[in-house]
Amino acid sequence: MSPGSDKTVCRGQEQTAPTSPEASQNALLHCLAAMLRGTGLPAAVDWNAVWRDACTHRLAPLLHPWLSRLEENRRPPPPLLARWRSAHLASAAGYLSLAHKAAAILTAFREADIPVVVLKGLHLAETVYADPAQRPMCDIDLLIPLEQFPLATAILARLKYQPTTLNFSPAHYKELGFRAGPGAPYVEVHWHISGTSQNRIRIEGLWERSRPARVAGVECLVLCPEDLVLHLCHHALADQFNHSLRVLCDLDRVINRHGSVLDWDQVVCRSREWGIDRGAFLIFQFARSTLQMAVPDGVIEALRPPDCPAEILRATEEAFVRVDSAREFTSALANFDQAHGLGARIVMAWQRIFLTRAVILSQYLPSHGRWALPLGYGLRLADLWRRHWRKLWRMSVGNPEQRAILEKIQERDRL
């Protein structure tokens, strides 16, 4: 087989890499469409590329059960299929551990009469996916009333969770993160689902429309289906579509689960209220064209902006299938760049750099006492510098690539 060929023969024969990253990403999209919609697979599939991209987009546990049910001559080679199975089992173990820890937190909040809306991963895994292991997650996201933060912080401290920032400022952040040392899940306690300066989401409405549910064996609240759809869209937009193929799968499962009661008129109306109607159009349009997601024609037409050039649609497709770790860091810089006033920028920088004493000790000097805090903060600064000095340097000298990413993020906010 000639170099550069994009053909991949089945098990037992030589496999070659696809001709381009785009071909590799399209192979993953073909597999997702085949799994979700029952469409046929291409005659040749580069399973190594699909495995690599599925891991990158955190979709390997989702695909494994479907792959194991394929005809033997269409499956990945046995050694590779075993890796998919391992990913699925690891996700199952991670879910059980995270659900156990979430149950302790939810129970403590419930006993203290703190209302809680469980967000994102844990909600989706338990109420939307048939198998929780198909929706891997690494943190616990909870929404509580802002006035309950002092009590919630005290309860989490009793459970050995410490805040990751020295000062919590609701004016600049929508959540506060907590850690309980190595191996414990990251817990994000939100008071809002949007932290942008142009926030138009009425948090009272989310609470009014929330519904009772049982998550991790504890009675709590979850978002109503319409708010859940829009929260997923909002989350994808906030992350510049990074890792958002998983968000598309989440949306597909939500629509599949709640389609009979989902009020699409409210989705359209509320997306405009939230100021994400253009972004929701891009997400739904891409989902319809690639995964044949069951979004009604009327919804897409109602959301379609009058001025949506073809290059915006192409850029959306590129952003969905590409995972760029640099964008996550630059997003923080974009938020810093757009912060209003020197004071806001100082607060943002301070909270990102100077974590709490408990977190510094657990992450950098777990076997030392408080006397080692100065050394811990020194290690924190050295760690940040080691990981990010090249990006900071490129930004400071006006590197065109970094500036282009920053401008794309700002253009996304304008859209």
mmCIF file with all atom_site columns, all heavy atoms in Angstrom, residues 243-267:
data_model
loop_
_atom_site.group_PDB
_atom_site.id
_atom_site.type_symbol
_atom_site.label_atom_id
_atom_site.label_alt_id
_atom_site.label_comp_id
_atom_site.label_asym_id
_atom_site.label_entity_id
_atom_site.label_seq_id
_atom_site.pdbx_PDB_ins_code
_atom_site.Cartn_x
_atom_site.Cartn_y
_atom_site.Cartn_z
_atom_site.occupancy
_atom_site.B_iso_or_equiv
_atom_site.pdbx_formal_charge
_atom_site.auth_seq_id
_atom_site.auth_comp_id
_atom_site.auth_asym_id
_atom_site.auth_atom_id
_atom_site.pdbx_PDB_model_num
ATOM 1   N N   . HIS A 1 243 ? -13.198 19.916 23.053 1.00 0.00 ? 243 HIS A N   1
ATOM 2   C CA  . HIS A 1 243 ? -13.755 18.661 23.559 1.00 0.00 ? 243 HIS A CA  1
ATOM 3   C C   . HIS A 1 243 ? -15.264 18.591 23.366 1.00 0.00 ? 243 HIS A C   1
ATOM 4   O O   . HIS A 1 243 ? -15.953 17.860 24.083 1.00 0.00 ? 243 HIS A O   1
ATOM 5   C CB  . HIS A 1 243 ? -13.442 18.467 25.053 1.00 0.00 ? 243 HIS A CB  1
ATOM 6   C CG  . HIS A 1 243 ? -12.004 18.256 25.352 1.00 0.00 ? 243 HIS A CG  1
ATOM 7   N ND1 . HIS A 1 243 ? -11.300 17.159 24.910 1.00 0.00 ? 243 HIS A ND1 1
ATOM 8   C CD2 . HIS A 1 243 ? -11.114 19.012 26.048 1.00 0.00 ? 243 HIS A CD2 1
ATOM 9   C CE1 . HIS A 1 243 ? -10.049 17.237 25.339 1.00 0.00 ? 243 HIS A CE1 1
ATOM 10  N NE2 . HIS A 1 243 ? -9.909  18.346 26.017 1.00 0.00 ? 243 HIS A NE2 1
ATOM 11  N N   . SER A 1 244 ? -15.806 19.329 22.391 1.00 0.00 ? 244 SER A N   1
ATOM 12  C CA  . SER A 1 244 ? -17.254 19.450 22.302 1.00 0.00 ? 244 SER A CA  1
ATOM 13  C C   . SER A 1 244 ? -17.921 18.360 21.480 1.00 0.00 ? 244 SER A C   1
ATOM 14  O O   . SER A 1 244 ? -19.153 18.345 21.381 1.00 0.00 ? 244 SER A O   1
ATOM 15  C CB  . SER A 1 244 ? -17.640 20.833 21.755 1.00 0.00 ? 244 SER A CB  1
ATOM 16  O OG  . SER A 1 244 ? -17.418 21.817 22.739 1.00 0.00 ? 244 SER A OG  1
ATOM 17  N N   . LEU A 1 245 ? -17.172 17.437 20.883 1.00 0.00 ? 245 LEU A N   1
ATOM 18  C CA  . LEU A 1 245 ? -17.838 16.275 20.301 1.00 0.00 ? 245 LEU A CA  1
ATOM 19  C C   . LEU A 1 245 ? -18.556 15.494 21.396 1.00 0.00 ? 245 LEU A C   1
ATOM 20  O O   . LEU A 1 245 ? -19.626 14.922 21.169 1.00 0.00 ? 245 LEU A O   1
ATOM 21  C CB  . LEU A 1 245 ? -16.833 15.372 19.574 1.00 0.00 ? 245 LEU A CB  1
ATOM 22  C CG  . LEU A 1 245 ? -16.348 15.846 18.206 1.00 0.00 ? 245 LEU A CG  1
ATOM 23  C CD1 . LEU A 1 245 ? -15.451 14.791 17.575 1.00 0.00 ? 245 LEU A CD1 1
ATOM 24  C CD2 . LEU A 1 245 ? -17.516 16.160 17.277 1.00 0.00 ? 245 LEU A CD2 1
ATOM 25  N N   . ARG A 1 246 ? -17.999 15.494 22.583 1.00 0.00 ? 246 ARG A N   1
ATOM 26  C CA  . ARG A 1 246 ? -18.682 14.843 23.701 1.00 0.00 ? 246 ARG A CA  1
ATOM 27  C C   . ARG A 1 246 ? -19.954 15.597 24.067 1.00 0.00 ? 246 ARG A C   1
ATOM 28  O O   . ARG A 1 246 ? -20.961 14.978 24.446 1.00 0.00 ? 246 ARG A O   1
ATOM 29  C CB  . ARG A 1 246 ? -17.753 14.741 24.916 1.00 0.00 ? 246 ARG A CB  1
ATOM 30  C CG  . ARG A 1 246 ? -18.341 13.906 26.044 1.00 0.00 ? 246 ARG A CG  1
ATOM 31  C CD  . ARG A 1 246 ? -17.379 13.685 27.167 1.00 0.00 ? 246 ARG A CD  1
ATOM 32  N NE  . ARG A 1 246 ? -17.079 14.914 27.880 1.00 0.00 ? 246 ARG A NE  1
ATOM 33  C CZ  . ARG A 1 246 ? -16.412 14.951 29.022 1.00 0.00 ? 246 ARG A CZ  1
ATOM 34  N NH1 . ARG A 1 246 ? -15.953 13.833 29.548 1.00 0.00 ? 246 ARG A NH1 1
ATOM 35  N NH2 . ARG A 1 246 ? -16.170 16.092 29.627 1.00 0.00 ? 246 ARG A NH2 1
ATOM 36  N N   . VAL A 1 247 ? -19.924 16.923 23.952 1.00 0.00 ? 247 VAL A N   1
ATOM 37  C CA  . VAL A 1 247 ? -21.133 17.702 24.215 1.00 0.00 ? 247 VAL A CA  1
ATOM 38  C C   . VAL A 1 247 ? -22.222 17.344 23.212 1.00 0.00 ? 247 VAL A C   1
ATOM 39  O O   . VAL A 1 247 ? -23.404 17.251 23.561 1.00 0.00 ? 247 VAL A O   1
ATOM 40  C CB  . VAL A 1 247 ? -20.830 19.212 24.180 1.00 0.00 ? 247 VAL A CB  1
ATOM 41  C CG1 . VAL A 1 247 ? -22.113 20.024 24.260 1.00 0.00 ? 247 VAL A CG1 1
ATOM 42  C CG2 . VAL A 1 247 ? -19.907 19.598 25.325 1.00 0.00 ? 247 VAL A CG2 1
ATOM 43  N N   . LEU A 1 248 ? -21.832 17.117 21.951 1.00 0.00 ? 248 LEU A N   1
ATOM 44  C CA  . LEU A 1 248 ? -22.822 16.706 20.950 1.00 0.00 ? 248 LEU A CA  1
ATOM 45  C C   . LEU A 1 248 ? -23.453 15.370 21.337 1.00 0.00 ? 248 LEU A C   1
ATOM 46  O O   . LEU A 1 248 ? -24.669 15.176 21.182 1.00 0.00 ? 248 LEU A O   1
ATOM 47  C CB  . LEU A 1 248 ? -22.178 16.590 19.570 1.00 0.00 ? 248 LEU A CB  1
ATOM 48  C CG  . LEU A 1 248 ? -21.733 17.885 18.893 1.00 0.00 ? 248 LEU A CG  1
ATOM 49  C CD1 . LEU A 1 248 ? -21.310 17.603 17.464 1.00 0.00 ? 248 LEU A CD1 1
ATOM 50  C CD2 . LEU A 1 248 ? -22.824 18.935 18.914 1.00 0.00 ? 248 LEU A CD2 1
ATOM 51  N N   . CYS A 1 249 ? -22.634 14.446 21.824 1.00 0.00 ? 249 CYS A N   1
ATOM 52  C CA  . CYS A 1 249 ? -23.187 13.156 22.264 1.00 0.00 ? 249 CYS A CA  1
ATOM 53  C C   . CYS A 1 249 ? -24.108 13.346 23.467 1.00 0.00 ? 249 CYS A C   1
ATOM 54  O O   . CYS A 1 249 ? -25.144 12.683 23.575 1.00 0.00 ? 249 CYS A O   1
ATOM 55  C CB  . CYS A 1 249 ? -22.051 12.191 22.594 1.00 0.00 ? 249 CYS A CB  1
ATOM 56  S SG  . CYS A 1 249 ? -21.050 11.729 21.148 1.00 0.00 ? 249 CYS A SG  1
ATOM 57  N N   . ASP A 1 250 ? -23.720 14.253 24.382 1.00 0.00 ? 250 ASP A N   1
ATOM 58  C CA  . ASP A 1 250 ? -24.594 14.564 25.511 1.00 0.00 ? 250 ASP A CA  1
ATOM 59  C C   . ASP A 1 250 ? -25.939 15.097 25.012 1.00 0.00 ? 250 ASP A C   1
ATOM 60  O O   . ASP A 1 250 ? -27.007 14.675 25.477 1.00 0.00 ? 250 ASP A O   1
ATOM 61  C CB  . ASP A 1 250 ? -23.943 15.604 26.418 1.00 0.00 ? 250 ASP A CB  1
ATOM 62  C CG  . ASP A 1 250 ? -22.751 15.065 27.193 1.00 0.00 ? 250 ASP A CG  1
ATOM 63  O OD1 . ASP A 1 250 ? -22.611 13.834 27.300 1.00 0.00 ? 250 ASP A OD1 1
ATOM 64  O OD2 . ASP A 1 250 ? -21.962 15.888 27.691 1.00 0.00 ? 250 ASP A OD2 1
ATOM 65  N N   . LEU A 1 251 ? -25.878 16.039 24.077 1.00 0.00 ? 251 LEU A N   1
ATOM 66  C CA  . LEU A 1 251 ? -27.108 16.609 23.531 1.00 0.00 ? 251 LEU A CA  1
ATOM 67  C C   . LEU A 1 251 ? -27.971 15.538 22.874 1.00 0.00 ? 251 LEU A C   1
ATOM 68  O O   . LEU A 1 251 ? -29.198 15.515 23.046 1.00 0.00 ? 251 LEU A O   1
ATOM 69  C CB  . LEU A 1 251 ? -26.773 17.703 22.520 1.00 0.00 ? 251 LEU A CB  1
ATOM 70  C CG  . LEU A 1 251 ? -26.377 19.071 23.080 1.00 0.00 ? 251 LEU A CG  1
ATOM 71  C CD1 . LEU A 1 251 ? -25.833 19.964 21.967 1.00 0.00 ? 251 LEU A CD1 1
ATOM 72  C CD2 . LEU A 1 251 ? -27.571 19.737 23.755 1.00 0.00 ? 251 LEU A CD2 1
ATOM 73  N N   . ASP A 1 252 ? -27.338 14.655 22.122 1.00 0.00 ? 252 ASP A N   1
ATOM 74  C CA  . ASP A 1 252 ? -28.089 13.598 21.456 1.00 0.00 ? 252 ASP A CA  1
ATOM 75  C C   . ASP A 1 252 ? -28.797 12.709 22.471 1.00 0.00 ? 252 ASP A C   1
ATOM 76  O O   . ASP A 1 252 ? -29.963 12.342 22.285 1.00 0.00 ? 252 ASP A O   1
ATOM 77  C CB  . ASP A 1 252 ? -27.150 12.768 20.590 1.00 0.00 ? 252 ASP A CB  1
ATOM 78  C CG  . ASP A 1 252 ? -27.890 11.702 19.808 1.00 0.00 ? 252 ASP A CG  1
ATOM 79  O OD1 . ASP A 1 252 ? -28.398 12.016 18.725 1.00 0.00 ? 252 ASP A OD1 1
ATOM 80  O OD2 . ASP A 1 252 ? -27.976 10.555 20.287 1.00 0.00 ? 252 ASP A OD2 1
ATOM 81  N N   . ARG A 1 253 ? -28.110 12.355 23.547 1.00 0.00 ? 253 ARG A N   1
ATOM 82  C CA  . ARG A 1 253 ? -28.727 11.512 24.566 1.00 0.00 ? 253 ARG A CA  1
ATOM 83  C C   . ARG A 1 253 ? -29.859 12.246 25.291 1.00 0.00 ? 253 ARG A C   1
ATOM 84  O O   . ARG A 1 253 ? -30.877 11.633 25.643 1.00 0.00 ? 253 ARG A O   1
ATOM 85  C CB  . ARG A 1 253 ? -27.677 11.038 25.577 1.00 0.00 ? 253 ARG A CB  1
ATOM 86  C CG  . ARG A 1 253 ? -26.591 10.143 25.005 1.00 0.00 ? 253 ARG A CG  1
ATOM 87  C CD  . ARG A 1 253 ? -27.152 8.842  24.441 1.00 0.00 ? 253 ARG A CD  1
ATOM 88  N NE  . ARG A 1 253 ? -27.606 8.970  23.061 1.00 0.00 ? 253 ARG A NE  1
ATOM 89  C CZ  . ARG A 1 253 ? -28.350 8.091  22.433 1.00 0.00 ? 253 ARG A CZ  1
ATOM 90  N NH1 . ARG A 1 253 ? -28.769 7.011  23.059 1.00 0.00 ? 253 ARG A NH1 1
ATOM 91  N NH2 . ARG A 1 253 ? -28.698 8.278  21.175 1.00 0.00 ? 253 ARG A NH2 1
ATOM 92  N N   . VAL A 1 254 ? -29.679 13.555 25.546 1.00 0.00 ? 254 VAL A N   1
ATOM 93  C CA  . VAL A 1 254 ? -30.727 14.336 26.203 1.00 0.00 ? 254 VAL A CA  1
ATOM 94  C C   . VAL A 1 254 ? -31.974 14.386 25.325 1.00 0.00 ? 254 VAL A C   1
ATOM 95  O O   . VAL A 1 254 ? -33.106 14.187 25.796 1.00 0.00 ? 254 VAL A O   1
ATOM 96  C CB  . VAL A 1 254 ? -30.233 15.761 26.523 1.00 0.00 ? 254 VAL A CB  1
ATOM 97  C CG1 . VAL A 1 254 ? -31.388 16.643 26.991 1.00 0.00 ? 254 VAL A CG1 1
ATOM 98  C CG2 . VAL A 1 254 ? -29.144 15.717 27.598 1.00 0.00 ? 254 VAL A CG2 1
ATOM 99  N N   . ILE A 1 255 ? -31.770 14.663 24.035 1.00 0.00 ? 255 ILE A N   1
ATOM 100 C CA  . ILE A 1 255 ? -32.911 14.730 23.106 1.00 0.00 ? 255 ILE A CA  1
ATOM 101 C C   . ILE A 1 255 ? -33.575 13.367 22.981 1.00 0.00 ? 255 ILE A C   1
ATOM 102 O O   . ILE A 1 255 ? -34.801 13.249 22.931 1.00 0.00 ? 255 ILE A O   1
ATOM 103 C CB  . ILE A 1 255 ? -32.442 15.256 21.741 1.00 0.00 ? 255 ILE A CB  1
ATOM 104 C CG1 . ILE A 1 255 ? -31.968 16.711 21.876 1.00 0.00 ? 255 ILE A CG1 1
ATOM 105 C CG2 . ILE A 1 255 ? -33.548 15.162 20.699 1.00 0.00 ? 255 ILE A CG2 1
ATOM 106 C CD1 . ILE A 1 255 ? -31.293 17.263 20.637 1.00 0.00 ? 255 ILE A CD1 1
ATOM 107 N N   . ASN A 1 256 ? -32.767 12.313 22.949 1.00 0.00 ? 256 ASN A N   1
ATOM 108 C CA  . ASN A 1 256 ? -33.319 10.960 22.865 1.00 0.00 ? 256 ASN A CA  1
ATOM 109 C C   . ASN A 1 256 ? -34.122 10.611 24.115 1.00 0.00 ? 256 ASN A C   1
ATOM 110 O O   . ASN A 1 256 ? -35.167 9.953  24.040 1.00 0.00 ? 256 ASN A O   1
ATOM 111 C CB  . ASN A 1 256 ? -32.180 9.963  22.674 1.00 0.00 ? 256 ASN A CB  1
ATOM 112 C CG  . ASN A 1 256 ? -32.669 8.534  22.512 1.00 0.00 ? 256 ASN A CG  1
ATOM 113 O OD1 . ASN A 1 256 ? -33.297 8.189  21.525 1.00 0.00 ? 256 ASN A OD1 1
ATOM 114 N ND2 . ASN A 1 256 ? -32.382 7.698  23.502 1.00 0.00 ? 256 ASN A ND2 1
ATOM 115 N N   . ARG A 1 257 ? -33.644 11.080 25.262 1.00 0.00 ? 257 ARG A N   1
ATOM 116 C CA  . ARG A 1 257 ? -34.301 10.759 26.546 1.00 0.00 ? 257 ARG A CA  1
ATOM 117 C C   . ARG A 1 257 ? -35.546 11.607 26.766 1.00 0.00 ? 257 ARG A C   1
ATOM 118 O O   . ARG A 1 257 ? -36.564 11.113 27.278 1.00 0.00 ? 257 ARG A O   1
ATOM 119 C CB  . ARG A 1 257 ? -33.296 10.988 27.686 1.00 0.00 ? 257 ARG A CB  1
ATOM 120 C CG  . ARG A 1 257 ? -33.862 10.911 29.083 1.00 0.00 ? 257 ARG A CG  1
ATOM 121 C CD  . ARG A 1 257 ? -34.235 9.497  29.464 1.00 0.00 ? 257 ARG A CD  1
ATOM 122 N NE  . ARG A 1 257 ? -34.626 9.399  30.843 1.00 0.00 ? 257 ARG A NE  1
ATOM 123 C CZ  . ARG A 1 257 ? -35.815 9.738  31.333 1.00 0.00 ? 257 ARG A CZ  1
ATOM 124 N NH1 . ARG A 1 257 ? -36.750 10.188 30.513 1.00 0.00 ? 257 ARG A NH1 1
ATOM 125 N NH2 . ARG A 1 257 ? -36.076 9.620  32.619 1.00 0.00 ? 257 ARG A NH2 1
ATOM 126 N N   . HIS A 1 258 ? -35.495 12.901 26.413 1.00 0.00 ? 258 HIS A N   1
ATOM 127 C CA  . HIS A 1 258 ? -36.577 13.824 26.745 1.00 0.00 ? 258 HIS A CA  1
ATOM 128 C C   . HIS A 1 258 ? -37.330 14.343 25.519 1.00 0.00 ? 258 HIS A C   1
ATOM 129 O O   . HIS A 1 258 ? -38.114 15.286 25.642 1.00 0.00 ? 258 HIS A O   1
ATOM 130 C CB  . HIS A 1 258 ? -36.023 15.028 27.521 1.00 0.00 ? 258 HIS A CB  1
ATOM 131 C CG  . HIS A 1 258 ? -35.401 14.682 28.839 1.00 0.00 ? 258 HIS A CG  1
ATOM 132 N ND1 . HIS A 1 258 ? -36.127 14.228 29.918 1.00 0.00 ? 258 HIS A ND1 1
ATOM 133 C CD2 . HIS A 1 258 ? -34.092 14.731 29.251 1.00 0.00 ? 258 HIS A CD2 1
ATOM 134 C CE1 . HIS A 1 258 ? -35.316 14.016 30.945 1.00 0.00 ? 258 HIS A CE1 1
ATOM 135 N NE2 . HIS A 1 258 ? -34.074 14.298 30.564 1.00 0.00 ? 258 HIS A NE2 1
ATOM 136 N N   . GLY A 1 259 ? -37.069 13.756 24.358 1.00 0.00 ? 259 GLY A N   1
ATOM 137 C CA  . GLY A 1 259 ? -37.645 14.293 23.125 1.00 0.00 ? 259 GLY A CA  1
ATOM 138 C C   . GLY A 1 259 ? -39.146 14.457 23.149 1.00 0.00 ? 259 GLY A C   1
ATOM 139 O O   . GLY A 1 259 ? -39.690 15.428 22.601 1.00 0.00 ? 259 GLY A O   1
ATOM 140 N N   . SER A 1 260 ? -39.861 13.545 23.823 1.00 0.00 ? 260 SER A N   1
ATOM 141 C CA  . SER A 1 260 ? -41.326 13.603 23.818 1.00 0.00 ? 260 SER A CA  1
ATOM 142 C C   . SER A 1 260 ? -41.874 14.756 24.633 1.00 0.00 ? 260 SER A C   1
ATOM 143 O O   . SER A 1 260 ? -43.013 15.186 24.426 1.00 0.00 ? 260 SER A O   1
ATOM 144 C CB  . SER A 1 260 ? -41.893 12.279 24.343 1.00 0.00 ? 260 SER A CB  1
ATOM 145 O OG  . SER A 1 260 ? -41.459 12.048 25.678 1.00 0.00 ? 260 SER A OG  1
ATOM 146 N N   . VAL A 1 261 ? -41.089 15.270 25.579 1.00 0.00 ? 261 VAL A N   1
ATOM 147 C CA  . VAL A 1 261 ? -41.559 16.369 26.424 1.00 0.00 ? 261 VAL A CA  1
ATOM 148 C C   . VAL A 1 261 ? -40.748 17.641 26.234 1.00 0.00 ? 261 VAL A C   1
ATOM 149 O O   . VAL A 1 261 ? -41.062 18.668 26.844 1.00 0.00 ? 261 VAL A O   1
ATOM 150 C CB  . VAL A 1 261 ? -41.525 15.959 27.912 1.00 0.00 ? 261 VAL A CB  1
ATOM 151 C CG1 . VAL A 1 261 ? -42.452 14.789 28.159 1.00 0.00 ? 261 VAL A CG1 1
ATOM 152 C CG2 . VAL A 1 261 ? -40.109 15.622 28.362 1.00 0.00 ? 261 VAL A CG2 1
ATOM 153 N N   . LEU A 1 262 ? -39.725 17.588 25.406 1.00 0.00 ? 262 LEU A N   1
ATOM 154 C CA  . LEU A 1 262 ? -38.861 18.750 25.200 1.00 0.00 ? 262 LEU A CA  1
ATOM 155 C C   . LEU A 1 262 ? -39.621 19.835 24.447 1.00 0.00 ? 262 LEU A C   1
ATOM 156 O O   . LEU A 1 262 ? -40.132 19.612 23.343 1.00 0.00 ? 262 LEU A O   1
ATOM 157 C CB  . LEU A 1 262 ? -37.609 18.333 24.422 1.00 0.00 ? 262 LEU A CB  1
ATOM 158 C CG  . LEU A 1 262 ? -36.458 19.325 24.337 1.00 0.00 ? 262 LEU A CG  1
ATOM 159 C CD1 . LEU A 1 262 ? -35.927 19.667 25.720 1.00 0.00 ? 262 LEU A CD1 1
ATOM 160 C CD2 . LEU A 1 262 ? -35.337 18.752 23.482 1.00 0.00 ? 262 LEU A CD2 1
ATOM 161 N N   . ASP A 1 263 ? -39.690 21.012 25.016 1.00 0.00 ? 263 ASP A N   1
ATOM 162 C CA  . ASP A 1 263 ? -40.407 22.145 24.415 1.00 0.00 ? 263 ASP A CA  1
ATOM 163 C C   . ASP A 1 263 ? -39.411 22.963 23.588 1.00 0.00 ? 263 ASP A C   1
ATOM 164 O O   . ASP A 1 263 ? -38.703 23.827 24.118 1.00 0.00 ? 263 ASP A O   1
ATOM 165 C CB  . ASP A 1 263 ? -41.043 23.004 25.506 1.00 0.00 ? 263 ASP A CB  1
ATOM 166 C CG  . ASP A 1 263 ? -41.984 24.065 24.945 1.00 0.00 ? 263 ASP A CG  1
ATOM 167 O OD1 . ASP A 1 263 ? -41.810 24.448 23.773 1.00 0.00 ? 263 ASP A OD1 1
ATOM 168 O OD2 . ASP A 1 263 ? -42.879 24.510 25.686 1.00 0.00 ? 263 ASP A OD2 1
ATOM 169 N N   . TRP A 1 264 ? -39.370 22.709 22.288 1.00 0.00 ? 264 TRP A N   1
ATOM 170 C CA  . TRP A 1 264 ? -38.394 23.374 21.433 1.00 0.00 ? 264 TRP A CA  1
ATOM 171 C C   . TRP A 1 264 ? -38.677 24.867 21.295 1.00 0.00 ? 264 TRP A C   1
ATOM 172 O O   . TRP A 1 264 ? -37.746 25.654 21.102 1.00 0.00 ? 264 TRP A O   1
ATOM 173 C CB  . TRP A 1 264 ? -38.360 22.703 20.062 1.00 0.00 ? 264 TRP A CB  1
ATOM 174 C CG  . TRP A 1 264 ? -37.621 21.395 20.063 1.00 0.00 ? 264 TRP A CG  1
ATOM 175 C CD1 . TRP A 1 264 ? -38.149 20.151 20.008 1.00 0.00 ? 264 TRP A CD1 1
ATOM 176 C CD2 . TRP A 1 264 ? -36.200 21.229 20.142 1.00 0.00 ? 264 TRP A CD2 1
ATOM 177 N NE1 . TRP A 1 264 ? -37.151 19.201 20.043 1.00 0.00 ? 264 TRP A NE1 1
ATOM 178 C CE2 . TRP A 1 264 ? -35.942 19.829 20.117 1.00 0.00 ? 264 TRP A CE2 1
ATOM 179 C CE3 . TRP A 1 264 ? -35.121 22.103 20.227 1.00 0.00 ? 264 TRP A CE3 1
ATOM 180 C CZ2 . TRP A 1 264 ? -34.654 19.305 20.172 1.00 0.00 ? 264 TRP A CZ2 1
ATOM 181 C CZ3 . TRP A 1 264 ? -33.836 21.580 20.291 1.00 0.00 ? 264 TRP A CZ3 1
ATOM 182 C CH2 . TRP A 1 264 ? -33.611 20.198 20.260 1.00 0.00 ? 264 TRP A CH2 1
ATOM 183 N N   . ASP A 1 265 ? -39.931 25.271 21.400 1.00 0.00 ? 265 ASP A N   1
ATOM 184 C CA  . ASP A 1 265 ? -40.241 26.705 21.369 1.00 0.00 ? 265 ASP A CA  1
ATOM 185 C C   . ASP A 1 265 ? -39.572 27.418 22.534 1.00 0.00 ? 265 ASP A C   1
ATOM 186 O O   . ASP A 1 265 ? -39.057 28.540 22.385 1.00 0.00 ? 265 ASP A O   1
ATOM 187 C CB  . ASP A 1 265 ? -41.758 26.928 21.419 1.00 0.00 ? 265 ASP A CB  1
ATOM 188 C CG  . ASP A 1 265 ? -42.457 26.506 20.133 1.00 0.00 ? 265 ASP A CG  1
ATOM 189 O OD1 . ASP A 1 265 ? -41.775 26.456 19.083 1.00 0.00 ? 265 ASP A OD1 1
ATOM 190 O OD2 . ASP A 1 265 ? -43.662 26.219 20.176 1.00 0.00 ? 265 ASP A OD2 1
ATOM 191 N N   . GLN A 1 266 ? -39.570 26.775 23.701 1.00 0.00 ? 266 GLN A N   1
ATOM 192 C CA  . GLN A 1 266 ? -38.899 27.361 24.852 1.00 0.00 ? 266 GLN A CA  1
ATOM 193 C C   . GLN A 1 266 ? -37.383 27.368 24.668 1.00 0.00 ? 266 GLN A C   1
ATOM 194 O O   . GLN A 1 266 ? -36.702 28.287 25.126 1.00 0.00 ? 266 GLN A O   1
ATOM 195 C CB  . GLN A 1 266 ? -39.272 26.589 26.124 1.00 0.00 ? 266 GLN A CB  1
ATOM 196 C CG  . GLN A 1 266 ? -40.654 26.897 26.652 1.00 0.00 ? 266 GLN A CG  1
ATOM 197 C CD  . GLN A 1 266 ? -40.810 28.359 27.036 1.00 0.00 ? 266 GLN A CD  1
ATOM 198 O OE1 . GLN A 1 266 ? -39.946 28.940 27.701 1.00 0.00 ? 266 GLN A OE1 1
ATOM 199 N NE2 . GLN A 1 266 ? -41.905 28.949 26.600 1.00 0.00 ? 266 GLN A NE2 1
ATOM 200 N N   . VAL A 1 267 ? -36.842 26.352 24.019 1.00 0.00 ? 267 VAL A N   1
ATOM 201 C CA  . VAL A 1 267 ? -35.403 26.325 23.738 1.00 0.00 ? 267 VAL A CA  1
ATOM 202 C C   . VAL A 1 267 ? -35.019 27.526 22.877 1.00 0.00 ? 267 VAL A C   1
ATOM 203 O O   . VAL A 1 267 ? -34.038 28.229 23.157 1.00 0.00 ? 267 VAL A O   1
ATOM 204 C CB  . VAL A 1 267 ? -35.011 25.010 23.037 1.00 0.00 ? 267 VAL A CB  1
ATOM 205 C CG1 . VAL A 1 267 ? -33.560 25.074 22.545 1.00 0.00 ? 267 VAL A CG1 1
ATOM 206 C CG2 . VAL A 1 267 ? -35.184 23.822 23.988 1.00 0.00 ? 267 VAL A CG2 1
#
